[in-house]
Amino acid sequence: MIRQPDLKGNRAVFWLAVDGRPIPRFLAEHGVAAPLSIEIPKTPVAYFVPAEAERLGSAIGELRRTLGEHAYLVLASDKLSPAWIQRAITLGADDVVDPTSAEDVAICLARTSRAIERARGAQTEQACLAMERDYLQACIDNLPAPIFFKNSEGIYVGCNGAFAEFIGSPPEGVIGRSVYDVAPEALAQRYQAADDELLERGGTQVYESEVCHSGGTRRHVMFHKAAIKGGDGRVRGIAGAILDITERKTLEARLTEAAERDPLTNAYNRRKFFDLAEQMVQQARDDDKTLAVAVIDVDHFKLINDRLGHAEGDNALRMIAGTLEKTVGKGNVIARAGGEEFYALFIDGSINEAKQTADRMRMEVERICQATALSALAGTVSIGLAAFRPREENLDEALKRADDALYRAKNSGRNRLCVAA
């Protein structure tokens, strides 16, 4: 015996006959009643509808338009052949029942109840997922860091408000697009290459890069990305966050510059000079080339301090350092060695070229200082210059010879250049 389900009071199953046809006896016995109104339901329900083979297709189409795709549609007819039943299912009906058969009705109602139960469970689950998705979106939208999600094809499938603002597009303008749609091509190629590498190996990825901000400026950022895996262990996409480190990079650059520059004159300091010189000397040693070094000293600097004061002495050093830096020539290095003394390294490869450059530096300092109050006190420099072959001596030895030449320049009347033998 088929156990007949009791549907009395169950508002999930209705009899729908627009032509006023009465509810079949066996459906009525199970509590199936006419709906109060005909409209697309908010929750899954089932409708038993009388049907005739003559207008089966148009009837099902009309019902679907009226009731919606998720309504469970059962055609009630004792005149449909197996071929017509198959056609009804193909056209969009969910089930077919013979309303004159108590057994067929009972079996169909059992199937219908189970289908509605599952549909409502799925609807509840979808509602929970939608609520969780909305909750997650609300959470990430309140985070200051730009966050994004991509699938394995590189298409954005989600982002937060900070990311949309960062690239200057509303979220709906991001979803469904690729990095080539939201970034300049050169940067997009770099990002895509990093994504491809992460999708290939999985795990996480952290790297620094430049990005084009929506305001038109370039920003230094740090990308934190992770490959997202599905239940089968395969990589399904990427989740990423962007940290703007522009201010940090600016501070680092300032700290680096402060460590490399003399705080008074802004010329390279002694340590930076030897760091750069080490690289240049090694290259010249490898290429067997000749360099030149110079020791430069401000003439009568004590007199400047004594007569005009230390503040003017500092101004003089700043002015002279700036002049030396402007005239030292491209590729060459000038640095404050300490006090009123400077070092220079020339990579021209010829002592004559280095001599011409160094003497031009001396004359330019004299010209600039003559236009100031320093002219009454001298405002000139003396220079000792020495050729330097890295394969034959070290830098300290070359600087010692240049220093000896400087003293000869000082003893010869100052404001002149002497070349070491």
Side-chain angles (χ1 to χ4, degrees):
M1 267 309 275
I2 300 297
R3 185 176 180 271
Q4 298 181 354
D6 184 8
L7 299 181
K8 292 182 179 179
N10 187 339
R11 297 191 178 183
V13 182
F14 299 99
W15 168 257
L16 184 60
V18 294
D19 57 359
R21 192 176 306 186
I23 302 174
R25 169 190 166 193
F26 296 119
L27 289 174
E29 288 178 354
H30 290 294
V32 177
L36 298 177
S37 63
I38 301 175
E39 57 186 12
I40 296 179
K42 296 180 179 179
T43 59
V45 297
Y47 291 98
F48 283 74
V49 184
E52 304 294 341
E54 288 72 18
R55 53 185 309 271
L56 193 62
S58 59
I60 294 175
E62 292 173 6
L63 288 167
R64 281 297 176 203
R65 285 190 293 274
T66 302
L67 304 175
E69 287 297 323
H70 65 278
Y72 193 82
L73 186 58
V74 182
L75 300 184
S77 176
D78 60 345
K79 300 178 181 179
L80 295 181
S81 66
W84 275 110
I85 292 175
Q86 183 177 1
R87 176 170 171 76
I89 300 298
T90 302
L91 290 172
D94 294 297
D95 205 347
V96 178
V97 65
D98 179 358
T100 65
S101 169
E103 185 175 359
D104 197 22
V105 167
I107 295 174
C108 183
L109 285 173
R111 287 196 300 265
T112 300
S113 296
R114 184 59 173 163
I116 294 302
E117 181 182 344
R118 287 177 174 174
R120 290 191 170 182
Q123 187 182 56
T124 301
E125 184 176 355
Q126 289 176 355
C128 290
L129 290 174
M131 183 175 64
E132 290 177 3
R133 183 184 64 247
D134 292 343
Y135 179 78
L136 174 61
Q137 188 67 48
C139 288
I140 65 174
D141 278 339
N142 282 282
L143 294 176
I147 296 172
F148 61 89
F149 307 97
K150 295 181 180 179
N151 61 21
S152 58
E153 284 74 42
I155 302 301
Y156 289 103
V157 294
C159 70
N160 68 346
F163 182 81
E165 180 181 357
F166 197 88
I167 65 174
S169 177
E172 57 270 21
V174 176
I175 309 304
R177 303 173 73 185
S178 75
V179 68
Y180 289 96
D181 298 316
V182 300
E185 185 173 358
L187 292 177
Q189 290 177 348
R190 188 188 310 169
Y191 304 150
Q192 190 61 55
D195 286 352
D196 291 342
E197 191 269 338
L198 178 58
L199 290 169
E200 177 68 25
R201 66 171 175 81
T204 60
Q205 187 182 73
V206 179
Y207 64 93
E208 293 182 13
S209 181
E210 263 195 343
V211 300
C212 186
H213 189 267
S214 59
T217 60
R218 294 279 179 120
R219 308 287 292 180
H220 290 280
V221 302
M222 180 174 290
F223 282 100
H224 289 256
K225 299 179 183 178
I228 305 172
K229 291 185 177 181
D232 57 359
R234 295 173 58 191
V235 174
R236 300 296 185 183
I238 293 173
I242 300 176
L243 300 181
D244 192 330
I245 58 172
T246 304
E247 284 72 23
R248 192 190 82 185
K249 297 294 286 187
T250 301
L251 178 59
E252 287 177 354
R254 289 175 179 171
L255 292 174
T256 299
E257 184 175 359
E260 296 176 344
R261 296 278 178 175
D262 171 57
L264 176 62
T265 65
N266 200 42
Y268 282 136
N269 58 26
R270 184 187 185 95
R271 183 177 67 180
K272 182 62 175 179
F273 174 81
F274 283 103
D275 286 345
L276 293 173
E278 182 180 357
Q279 302 170 27
M280 297 163 70
V281 167
Q282 182 59 53
Q283 186 64 50
R285 185 182 294 117
D286 293 341
D287 298 337
D288 193 20
K289 289 185 176 180
T290 300
L291 304 176
V293 294
V295 180
I296 305 168
D297 191 80
V298 180
D299 296 326
H300 300 297
F301 186 69
K302 185 177 184 303
L303 187 61
I304 296 173
N305 277 334
D306 291 344
R307 295 277 185 89
L308 302 179
H310 288 278
E312 284 302 317
D314 289 346
N315 288 335
L317 282 177
R318 280 191 286 266
M319 181 172 59
I320 291 170
T323 303
L324 293 174
E325 196 160 34
K326 288 178 181 177
T327 55
V328 71
K330 185 177 181 180
N332 301 326
V333 178
I334 187 77
R336 186 185 181 194
E340 66 270 24
E341 191 171 77
F342 296 85
Y343 287 161
L345 180 62
F346 303 93
I347 61 172
D348 293 336
S350 164
I351 188 64
N352 288 329
E353 291 176 325
K355 181 180 177 181
Q356 291 176 6
T357 301
D359 208 37
R360 185 167 61 250
M361 295 165 66
R362 179 191 63 79
M363 291 187 292
E364 186 64 13
V365 168
E366 182 181 20
R367 186 187 70 80
I368 293 295
C369 289
Q370 281 183 349
T372 69
L374 297 177
S375 60
L377 302 175
T380 58
V381 296
S382 296
I383 303 176
L385 183 67
F388 171 34
R389 292 190 65 83
R391 288 192 177 184
E392 297 176 4
E393 63 178 334
N394 60 41
L395 180 60
D396 288 337
E397 292 171 334
L399 283 170
K400 177 63 172 64
R401 291 193 296 108
D403 197 49
D404 291 340
L406 170 66
Y407 277 100
R408 284 197 288 113
K410 290 279 190 181
N411 293 332
S412 300
R414 295 183 172 82
N415 189 23
R416 64 191 61 211
L417 179 149
C418 287
V419 180

